[in-house]
Amino acid sequence: MLTKFESKSARVKGLAFHPVRPWVAASLHNGVIQLWDYRVGTVIDRFEEHDGPVRGVDFHLNQPLIVTGGDDYKIKVWDYKLRRCLFTLLGHLDYIRTVEFHPNASQFSWILSASDDQTLRLWDFEKRTCLSVLTGHNHYVMSASFHTTEDLIVSASLDQTVRVWDTTGLRKKQNGEGGSGQSGGSGFNSVGFSLGPDSARDQSSSSGGTGAGSGSGGLNVQAELFGTNDVVVKYVLEGHDRGVNWAAFHPTLPLIASAADDRQVKLWRMSETKAWEVDTLRGHANNVSCCLFHPKQDLVVSDSEDRSIRVWDVSKRVGVQTFRREGDRFWILAAHRNQNLLAAGHDSGMIVFKLERERPASAVGTANKLYYVRGRELFCHDYSRISNGSVGVDVPVTSLRRVGQQAQTD
């Protein structure tokens, strides 16, 4: 592990990288949201309006917005340029575990939230309304996240299941492509909700979040009682023996990773019609808090209350690295969208790190030569030689593995 930055603070429960700037947002158990510049190692700003721990945080892809969710049942959207909370979304009836902006930010002004009230909610933060309430889990929903390209959501719950949800119907209805006949989220205006420009929005409707206020009376009653079919369950993944704390999509492949209190990380594969368990990664000695696919490499990274971060090879399905920390349990992981950077939150702060050094060990030699290490080989790049019209030729010098073995026998 190559540690790039380390912070000291209260317990970190949520983390998010800024998509462009060298910033990471950390939501803390003491109710504070910190905005860090991990390159310089300083706190840029602090946001303090939540009452109690803040467990979820995310940056918008191209607007100066942060969304947070906390144990006060509130989702807050902040403008970090104006340095204030813009509005609060109300509706959840218990602690909020995770919040996330839709990754396709130019097309969808959606926020996804997961809560201990056993539901997920989809919100339109521009209209400041609840679009849909996703019911089906029968215990706390510990995490929920969008797929980067597909109309899918994955959620993990202490009911020992992972659920995959299809949002195609909601997307079509929001884009005016036809849907189930119920109105969109803006229909809340006609049932008495206050939607002033900066007031808190109370969407504590018992319906599926849509359908109140327009269409026929029969449709309204149906939506109020049973919700709508804008978002449907596609798969229910069963296999963990204890509550599931986290689930994450692979960015490109039809794979899901899940982390649970049974100390296991499981890999699942999806097809158009079904999903099934592929393998189980064993090695953690306590509850596994979080897991994610490495955005650049064929790896799964997980962290746990056993005070360790483990790296697993997806194709070989074996552990390849373990990083341990004395005295601090890990709670959350985050990966940068574009760079080879990871962050992990623990009991006394967070770390921003890379799994390995990316710059090769190198030294400038005499007569236009550069020596560098690639893999287990020492190479010499000779600038004075020309090959196929290009200046410079890589010449193998020696195997470092052989040198090491020879030194041991001498």
Side-chain angles (χ1 to χ4, degrees):
M1 178 193 287
L2 182 63
T3 302
K4 308 293 286 186
F5 165 69
E6 190 161 355
S7 77
K8 292 289 184 184
S9 68
R11 181 184 303 164
V12 174
K13 300 297 287 185
L15 284 170
F17 281 102
H18 192 280
V20 179
R21 298 179 179 176
W23 296 352
V24 61
S27 59
L28 308 184
H29 198 263
N30 63 5
V32 176
I33 301 105
Q34 294 179 331
L35 188 57
W36 289 87
D37 185 319
Y38 56 78
R39 196 169 54 187
V40 180
T42 56
V43 177
I44 300 169
D45 216 336
R46 294 162 57 95
F47 304 99
E48 301 180 56
E49 276 190 29
H50 278 287
D51 183 17
V54 185
R55 300 178 187 273
V57 63
D58 194 26
F59 279 105
H60 194 272
L61 186 62
N62 47 36
Q63 296 186 44
L65 301 177
I66 296 173
V67 62
T68 57
D71 284 9
D72 54 5
Y73 313 171
K74 294 176 182 177
I75 297 170
K76 290 182 177 288
V77 176
W78 312 75
D79 188 313
Y80 58 73
K81 285 188 176 178
L82 299 178
R83 305 179 66 183
R84 67 182 181 90
C85 177
L86 298 180
F87 55 89
T88 302
L89 298 169
L90 299 175
H92 277 300
L93 306 175
D94 209 333
Y95 297 170
I96 296 166
R97 293 285 177 170
T98 63
V99 287
E100 181 179 297
F101 285 110
H102 197 286
N104 187 353
S106 58
Q107 185 177 357
F108 298 99
S109 56
W110 292 1
I111 290 171
L112 172 65
S113 57
S115 169
D116 284 4
D117 65 10
Q118 305 181 16
T119 70
L120 296 78
R121 285 183 181 242
L122 281 166
W123 313 79
D124 187 321
F125 70 84
E126 289 184 347
K127 297 176 182 175
R128 306 182 190 180
T129 55
C130 181
L131 298 174
S132 190
V133 181
L134 284 59
T135 58
H137 284 296
N138 53 38
H139 209 309
Y140 302 161
V141 186
M142 300 298 286
S143 81
S145 63
F146 289 107
H147 195 282
T148 51
T149 55
E150 306 288 333
D151 292 322
L152 297 174
I153 289 169
V154 65
S155 60
S157 169
L158 293 191
D159 65 9
Q160 303 181 17
T161 69
V162 174
R163 286 178 180 249
V164 179
W165 311 75
D166 189 335
T167 60
T168 305
L170 184 62
R171 171 181 57 82
K172 289 181 176 179
K173 193 169 77 172
Q174 292 296 302
N175 293 344
E177 300 173 38
S180 57
Q182 286 88 9
S183 73
S186 57
F188 276 113
N189 270 333
S190 56
V191 288
F193 289 105
S194 170
L195 294 183
D198 286 308
S199 65
R201 269 60 181 174
D202 185 356
Q203 283 89 20
S204 55
S205 163
S206 62
S207 75
T210 59
S214 67
S216 69
L219 286 176
N220 285 348
V221 172
Q222 180 183 359
E224 283 289 336
L225 292 176
F226 304 112
T228 64
N229 59 355
D230 298 330
V231 183
V232 295
V233 177
K234 193 169 186 181
Y235 315 115
V236 179
L237 307 179
E238 297 177 308
H240 282 291
D241 298 328
R242 291 274 190 89
V244 189
N245 294 315
W246 204 268
F249 286 118
H250 191 284
T252 55
L253 300 174
L255 294 174
I256 294 170
S258 59
D261 285 348
D262 59 7
R263 306 178 181 182
Q264 296 174 357
V265 177
K266 287 186 181 288
L267 295 176
W268 315 79
R269 182 174 287 275
M270 298 181 293
S271 69
E272 282 300 313
T273 55
K274 63 179 181 178
W276 62 96
E277 182 179 332
V278 175
D279 210 344
T280 301
L281 307 175
R282 296 178 175 87
H284 281 295
N286 207 332
N287 303 340
V288 189
S289 306
C290 187
C291 66
L292 51 81
F293 288 97
H294 194 285
K296 303 284 187 184
Q297 302 174 47
D298 199 20
L299 301 171
V300 169
V301 185
S302 62
D303 67 359
S304 165
E305 294 180 45
D306 67 4
R307 300 172 174 82
S308 76
I309 299 171
R310 287 180 179 261
V311 184
W312 315 83
D313 188 305
V314 173
S315 54
K316 297 177 182 176
R317 297 168 195 164
V318 294
V320 292
Q321 286 177 296
T322 303
F323 309 113
R324 301 188 187 278
R325 185 176 182 89
E326 291 298 324
D328 290 317
R329 298 165 295 176
F330 284 103
W331 299 104
I332 186 70
L333 281 167
H336 198 286
R337 295 172 191 260
N338 307 313
Q339 301 178 34
N340 184 24
L341 279 176
L342 299 168
H346 52 77
D347 281 333
S348 60
M350 67 166 169
I351 53 174
V352 176
F353 62 97
K354 294 181 178 181
L355 294 182
E356 58 192 12
R357 185 179 179 89
E358 292 177 297
R359 296 174 189 162
S362 60
V364 178
T366 58
N368 291 326
K369 292 181 179 179
L370 173 70
Y371 294 90
Y372 66 94
V373 176
R374 185 172 68 201
R376 299 268 182 151
E377 299 282 330
L378 177 64
F379 288 85
C380 172
H381 187 80
D382 191 343
Y383 289 98
S384 61
R385 295 167 63 179
I386 298 176
S387 174
N388 298 327
S390 60
V391 178
V393 175
D394 287 323
V395 181
V397 177
T398 185
S399 168
L400 300 181
R401 182 185 290 113
R402 190 165 61 245
V403 171
Q405 290 172 346
Q406 192 174 6
Q408 289 177 354
T409 57
D410 287 347

